[in-house]
Every structure is written in structure tokens, then in C-alpha cells.
Amino acid sequence: MDLQIDVHLAYETAAPTDLLLQIEVADVADQVVSQPVLTLSQDTPGVPAPAEVGLGRRLWLHAVDSFKCTYSAQVTVDRPLLDLGALSAVRPRDLPGDTVRFLMPSRFCPSDKFQSLAASEFGHLEGGQKIVAMRDWINGSIAYVPGASDGQTTAIDTYVQRQGVCRDFAHVMIALARASTIPARFASVYAPGVTPQDFHAVAEVFLEGTWHLVDATGMAPADTIARIGVGLDAAETAFLTAFGAITLVEQTVSVVEVQGR
């Protein structure tokens, strides 16, 4: 699938503020980026910062009174749409070392609190079948309600309130997977089927030796997704992190499928 991505951000700052920006699509084997253009309002180009697990790119920026940026890119997503239910889990002792951290509880995904739920609801299933059942349970049990959560909402909050947005769906999916000893991580992404159109969030789970995208909202099949970055949860993958007070002025995200490229 070929995608055209266009993003515009505008913020005001109360005082000189350092910012950590991550909005560029990661250029990797299953999603090839062409014609990327990132334009910043500041004079300096920004200082690159390592992204989590080396996927994607982050930039340190410094805003004095305001911050604006635009980003555009064409992306070819070449990723098969697999039957997750047919995939097997990897035994913990056989996991690659770099996946082990994604078994652990994190700020927004306290997976240790979900172990009883995971065992009672999904304990009779294995591997990918368990992941599919979790995804479908979340989709059917939690309502997608814009504005129902904020930047402090955890997977426990979402489970109790039974409503949230994409990041909340991803956090619950990750917490349940980790509670079942399946590595899971948070992915910040673009996808054309997201309503309302914005930055999107999904989970990635580790099955049969590799990572697989899982969107519990049902809006973004894996073969339509362009990943920006990944991490333990939303705290590690925000598109913009401000180390000071900022105020949103404008934000637009457009992700359109391009036919016949």
C-alpha cells in the first residue's frame, strides 16, 4: 500500500523550551519512505537523539516563543496481513535478549495487575490465538470515545472506565499480552483508516520470532500501518515531548492511500 502523509504542528511556548520531536516514518524493510520533507520554524536543524530500540528518529529542538513544523512523505508499506491465530508464542527462556524488557510492567501498562484477568479470560488459549481473543475482547468491551482519557490514563483506568482512545486500547492490549508472558510494545503510527484522522497508536506483539502489529480499535489493519516509533508505552513514543509549558495552536494529520503509484 502506498501512502501520502502530511503533518502540520504549531505551538506557543511560555518560555524558552526544549522539545523532543518524533513524527517521521521509520524507513525500514517493510515500509520504505520516499520524498520525506521536514520543515522547522527554528533556524537550527535539530540534534538527532537515538530512538527506542533504534526504530525511527527523534530530534532535540529548542523553541523560544513558538514552534511550528511540517512533515510530508510518501511511504510504501510492504507487509503481509497474517493470520495471527496461527502463530506460536516463544517460551520466555528462548526469547531474544532485546525483547525481555517488553515482558515487564511499565508506567501505563501495569501488566502485573492484569494477570488474574488474563488467566481467567484467556488462559485456555495459546500464542496467537490468545492475542486474537484479547484484541477482539478489547474491541467489544471498550468504547472508542474521543476525549475520554488524558495523558495520565493507564490501562487499569481504561479497563475500569471501559472507554478511551487508541493509546488506551493499545495500553490494555499490551498489559494483557505481557500478563500472559508474550512480549508487547507500544507503536506510534500513521494509518489511513483512522477516524478522526490523527496520530494513531497500536500494539506490537512478539510471536514466532518477530514483531506483529495489533490494532484493538479495528481501524488499522497491519498492512496499512506506517510505524513512527516504538517503546514500552506512550511515555516513550510521544510525537512531541515538551520540557516546559507549551500551548497547542494547530495540529493536522493527513494519511491518504495513493492509488497507482
Side-chain angles (χ1 to χ4, degrees), residues 1-3 74 76 256-261:
M1 173 177 286
D2 295 322
L3 303 175
Q74 295 179 1
T76 298
V256 178
E257 181 180 357
V258 180
Q259 302 290 342
R261 267 184 58 193

mmCIF file of all heavy atoms in Angstrom, residues 1-3 74 76 256-261:
data_model
loop_
_atom_site.group_PDB
_atom_site.id
_atom_site.type_symbol
_atom_site.label_atom_id
_atom_site.label_comp_id
_atom_site.label_asym_id
_atom_site.label_seq_id
_atom_site.Cartn_x
_atom_site.Cartn_y
_atom_site.Cartn_z
ATOM 1 N N MET A 1 0.840 -1.194 0.000
ATOM 2 C CA MET A 1 0.000 0.000 0.000
ATOM 3 C C MET A 1 0.878 1.247 0.000
ATOM 4 O O MET A 1 1.856 1.337 0.730
ATOM 5 C CB MET A 1 -0.921 0.014 1.226
ATOM 6 C CG MET A 1 -1.714 1.293 1.384
ATOM 7 S SD MET A 1 -2.857 1.282 2.763
ATOM 8 C CE MET A 1 -4.130 0.200 2.110
ATOM 9 N N ASP A 2 0.499 2.237 -0.830
ATOM 10 C CA ASP A 2 1.225 3.496 -0.902
ATOM 11 C C ASP A 2 0.447 4.585 -0.159
ATOM 12 O O ASP A 2 -0.762 4.746 -0.369
ATOM 13 C CB ASP A 2 1.425 3.914 -2.353
ATOM 14 C CG ASP A 2 2.324 2.951 -3.108
ATOM 15 O OD1 ASP A 2 3.302 2.469 -2.502
ATOM 16 O OD2 ASP A 2 2.056 2.676 -4.288
ATOM 17 N N LEU A 3 1.148 5.315 0.680
ATOM 18 C CA LEU A 3 0.526 6.345 1.500
ATOM 19 C C LEU A 3 1.184 7.691 1.257
ATOM 20 O O LEU A 3 2.404 7.773 1.050
ATOM 21 C CB LEU A 3 0.669 6.007 2.991
ATOM 22 C CG LEU A 3 0.112 4.665 3.474
ATOM 23 C CD1 LEU A 3 0.454 4.476 4.950
ATOM 24 C CD2 LEU A 3 -1.384 4.588 3.245
ATOM 25 N N GLN A 74 6.090 10.154 1.282
ATOM 26 C CA GLN A 74 5.395 9.058 0.633
ATOM 27 C C GLN A 74 5.965 7.757 1.188
ATOM 28 O O GLN A 74 7.188 7.626 1.350
ATOM 29 C CB GLN A 74 5.560 9.124 -0.885
ATOM 30 C CG GLN A 74 4.918 10.351 -1.509
ATOM 31 C CD GLN A 74 5.112 10.423 -3.009
ATOM 32 O OE1 GLN A 74 5.716 9.547 -3.617
ATOM 33 N NE2 GLN A 74 4.596 11.488 -3.624
ATOM 34 N N THR A 76 5.731 3.419 1.081
ATOM 35 C CA THR A 76 5.242 2.167 0.521
ATOM 36 C C THR A 76 5.289 1.105 1.606
ATOM 37 O O THR A 76 6.371 0.730 2.069
ATOM 38 C CB THR A 76 6.085 1.723 -0.684
ATOM 39 O OG1 THR A 76 5.987 2.709 -1.716
ATOM 40 C CG2 THR A 76 5.583 0.389 -1.225
ATOM 41 N N VAL A 256 -3.312 9.471 3.446
ATOM 42 C CA VAL A 256 -4.179 9.124 2.325
ATOM 43 C C VAL A 256 -3.549 7.992 1.514
ATOM 44 O O VAL A 256 -2.351 8.020 1.206
ATOM 45 C CB VAL A 256 -4.387 10.355 1.402
ATOM 46 C CG1 VAL A 256 -5.258 9.994 0.209
ATOM 47 C CG2 VAL A 256 -5.006 11.495 2.197
ATOM 48 N N GLU A 257 -4.363 6.985 1.186
ATOM 49 C CA GLU A 257 -3.891 5.922 0.303
ATOM 50 C C GLU A 257 -3.781 6.469 -1.114
ATOM 51 O O GLU A 257 -4.712 7.096 -1.624
ATOM 52 C CB GLU A 257 -4.828 4.734 0.339
ATOM 53 C CG GLU A 257 -4.361 3.586 -0.550
ATOM 54 C CD GLU A 257 -5.288 2.386 -0.519
ATOM 55 O OE1 GLU A 257 -6.278 2.408 0.250
ATOM 56 O OE2 GLU A 257 -5.020 1.433 -1.285
ATOM 57 N N VAL A 258 -2.629 6.224 -1.734
ATOM 58 C CA VAL A 258 -2.374 6.708 -3.094
ATOM 59 C C VAL A 258 -2.515 5.528 -4.048
ATOM 60 O O VAL A 258 -1.824 4.513 -3.909
ATOM 61 C CB VAL A 258 -0.973 7.342 -3.216
ATOM 62 C CG1 VAL A 258 -0.735 7.834 -4.636
ATOM 63 C CG2 VAL A 258 -0.836 8.481 -2.205
ATOM 64 N N GLN A 259 -3.382 5.658 -5.018
ATOM 65 C CA GLN A 259 -3.619 4.589 -5.989
ATOM 66 C C GLN A 259 -2.676 4.733 -7.188
ATOM 67 O O GLN A 259 -2.396 5.836 -7.653
ATOM 68 C CB GLN A 259 -5.061 4.635 -6.493
ATOM 69 C CG GLN A 259 -6.104 4.509 -5.398
ATOM 70 C CD GLN A 259 -6.149 3.128 -4.792
ATOM 71 O OE1 GLN A 259 -5.647 2.151 -5.366
ATOM 72 N NE2 GLN A 259 -6.747 3.019 -3.604
ATOM 73 N N GLY A 260 -2.154 3.604 -7.645
ATOM 74 C CA GLY A 260 -1.448 3.556 -8.924
ATOM 75 C C GLY A 260 -0.070 4.142 -8.920
ATOM 76 O O GLY A 260 0.425 4.543 -9.965
ATOM 77 N N ARG A 261 0.586 4.187 -7.762
ATOM 78 C CA ARG A 261 1.968 4.682 -7.762
ATOM 79 C C ARG A 261 2.899 3.640 -8.342
ATOM 80 O O ARG A 261 2.707 2.450 -8.184
ATOM 81 C CB ARG A 261 2.395 4.990 -6.329
ATOM 82 C CG ARG A 261 2.159 6.423 -5.927
ATOM 83 C CD ARG A 261 2.688 6.709 -4.554
ATOM 84 N NE ARG A 261 4.131 6.413 -4.477
ATOM 85 C CZ ARG A 261 4.808 6.328 -3.344
ATOM 86 N NH1 ARG A 261 4.175 6.487 -2.190
ATOM 87 N NH2 ARG A 261 6.084 6.075 -3.327
#
